[in-house]
Amino acid sequence: MTPIDTVPKPRRNVELVLLVLALAVGIGANALVGVDREKAFDTDFWFQSSLLAAAALGFHVVLRIRAKYADPVILPIVVALNGLGFAMIHRLDRVGEDTGNNQLRWTLVAMAVAIVVIWFLKDHRILRRFTYISLAVSAVLLVLPLVPGISAGEILGASVWIKIGSMTFQPGEIAKITLAIFFAGYLSSNRDLILLAGRKVGPLQFPRFKDLGPMITAWLVSIGVLIFQRDLGTSILFFGLFLVMIYVATSRISWVLIGVALMVAGSFVAAKVFSHVALRIDGWINAFTPEVYGREFGGSLQIVEGLFGMANGGLVGTGLGQGRPNLVPFANSDMIIASFGEELGLIGLFAIVLMYLLLFTRGFRAALGTRDAFGKLLACGLSFAIALQCFVVIGGVTRLIPLTGLTTPFLAAGGSSLLANWIIVGLLLMISHTARSPVDTTPMAPGQVPDARKGTPAMPSRPATASGAGRNSPDAATEAVKQL
């Protein structure tokens, strides 16, 4: 039996306390916004706050029942970020707009889907069975925006949406999850082959050309998204996701070098061949040039106004509801970080970045704690997808890198982004539950399936035989020599 002092604790009460604080942050931010709009504590405020609190507490109850050893920090962080995003979107709504309420509706739907994932996915390792199905689903999702009849056409220079009735949806957001499942399944199954084969050049061991197939495929998918959908951000996200997962699987720097070389080559060609990429780079480098600032397509007005807004916020910000973030185009989606920078200042922006940093680290901690290679790779990939998305968005808003058009997870307006990221949260919680749950050391009966909720039973040791695992032992070798 496991010693009492090392038995993991569920920590659900800790999660409940943190969840109350997270709700106070989100609901309090919405209250401050209402004070500025002279609609504080009205019927809408209480209704919206009650829905958000009920959904968060319901999620907590489901974790108590189905995944009591799940990480206690992930859910409160996400609820706080989602609440802050809802408050800012609601604050930026103009007369007659309903973006804030639409964001709340999508939040409730996304949380419900994440609850379904947790309730029915008893063990994340089941997803490994769908490795190649996930690849096929990813291909379908990426092609859908180009299919006549359901394609929403080109919106803001990109063709990444489909039209379902009166609403639009971005299938690429779900594709990042299915691609992560495929990469995790493929790499966990073929890791030994990738590691052992190849030619060593100095301190580096390079893979065989035929083993480069997955990387070439990921690179071609990224280039295809860039060419046909004109979406630079998603292209970077997909290839970066594969690159980090193959590095985690192999620990070989040679894969990273090959991936970076492919990325640099693709970026150089894209900047020379495709005008939409060249315009984004020009808008980044020459942002303050009058001709670039006033250009209708690929101009830098959005970037420059966002920088001015954050400069106006200074260290402590103008206060929620007191700034003018609505002067920045797409202040509630692409540029919501600039909106927070203006009204919460540098300190508030650092607090938001710190919450994201905690979320990444908890995801990586779940990856380190789980006992199976598939779970490690999947948790690393999903956590890195959120991390890379945050870096690309915040780097673009602050003019560290070109602006790409990705949305900030949980903060920015957008139903498809919310849905995908809440599903990621559900998967990370299930993986962390497996990682933190106590290990059942009783031998596994023939045909028994491991249950992640009760811990993974230890496999009984098998005696070494000449035809089994012990064929390379000294005794087996001696016996073979005698027989000769």
Side-chain angles (χ1 to χ4, degrees), residues 37 39 89-100 325-332:
R37 301 176 65 172
K39 292 183 179 180
I89 294 166
H90 186 64
R91 174 256 183 280
L92 291 170
D93 273 351
R94 297 184 178 89
V95 177
E97 288 185 343
D98 196 32
T99 310
N326 54 305
L327 296 177
V328 182
F330 307 106
N332 63 357

Side-chain angles (χ1 to χ4, degrees), residues 184-215:
Y186 178 85
L187 293 173
S188 60
S189 299
N190 297 276
R191 177 179 179 273
D192 292 339
L193 177 63
I194 295 173
L195 274 176
L196 297 176
R199 177 177 297 179
K200 193 168 185 180
V201 180
L204 302 177
Q205 182 170 349
F206 288 89
R208 296 177 300 179
F209 181 77
K210 64 179 182 179
D211 293 332
L212 289 174
M215 176 170 284

Side-chain angles (χ1 to χ4, degrees), residues 81-267:
L81 289 170
N82 208 152
L84 284 171
F86 167 71
M88 179 58 72
I89 294 166
H90 186 64
R91 174 256 183 280
L92 291 170
D93 273 351
R94 297 184 178 89
V95 177
E97 288 185 343
D98 196 32
T99 310
N101 288 330
N102 188 54
Q103 184 78 352
L104 180 60
R105 286 190 288 269
W106 271 109
T107 298
L108 298 177
V109 170
M111 293 179 75
V113 173
I115 288 173
V116 170
V117 169
I118 291 172
W119 191 268
F120 290 101
L121 186 65
K122 297 179 181 180
D123 189 345
H124 67 270
R125 288 169 289 188
I126 296 174
L127 296 174
R128 188 172 182 173
R129 304 174 188 171
F130 305 98
T131 296
Y132 292 98
I133 294 177
S134 298
L135 177 61
V137 171
S138 302
V140 171
L141 290 172
L142 292 175
V143 170
L144 281 178
L146 304 176
V147 176
I150 61 172
S151 174
E154 190 171 299
I155 301 176
L156 304 176
S159 302
V160 295
W161 286 272
I162 60 174
K163 196 168 185 179
I164 305 174
S166 59
M167 72 174 188
T168 57
F169 188 80
Q170 190 173 347
E173 289 287 346
I174 305 297
K176 69 185 178 185
I177 302 175
T178 54
L179 280 174
I181 294 173
F182 164 69
F183 291 150
Y186 178 85
L187 293 173
S188 60
S189 299
N190 297 276
R191 177 179 179 273
D192 292 339
L193 177 63
I194 295 173
L195 274 176
L196 297 176
R199 177 177 297 179
K200 193 168 185 180
V201 180
L204 302 177
Q205 182 170 349
F206 288 89
R208 296 177 300 179
F209 181 77
K210 64 179 182 179
D211 293 332
L212 289 174
M215 176 170 284
I216 299 296
T217 302
W219 183 70
L220 291 176
V221 168
S222 303
I223 295 297
V225 170
L226 185 61
I227 296 173
F228 297 107
Q229 298 185 355
R230 296 172 172 263
D231 191 353
L232 179 60
T234 303
S235 176
I236 295 173
L237 179 62
F238 286 168
F239 191 69
L241 173 65
F242 174 76
L243 198 59
V244 75
M245 290 181 72
I246 198 169
Y247 176 71
V248 171
T250 64
S251 300
R252 292 278 170 81
I253 195 67
S254 57
W255 285 98
V256 178
L257 295 177
I258 295 171
V260 170
L262 288 173
M263 186 180 297
V264 171
S267 302

Side-chain angles (χ1 to χ4, degrees), residues 124 366-367 370 375 378-379 382 426-436:
H124 67 270
T370 192
L378 184 59
L382 296 175
L427 292 173
L428 289 177
L429 286 169
M430 287 306 299
I431 295 173
S432 68
H433 167 66
T434 304
R436 299 180 70 250

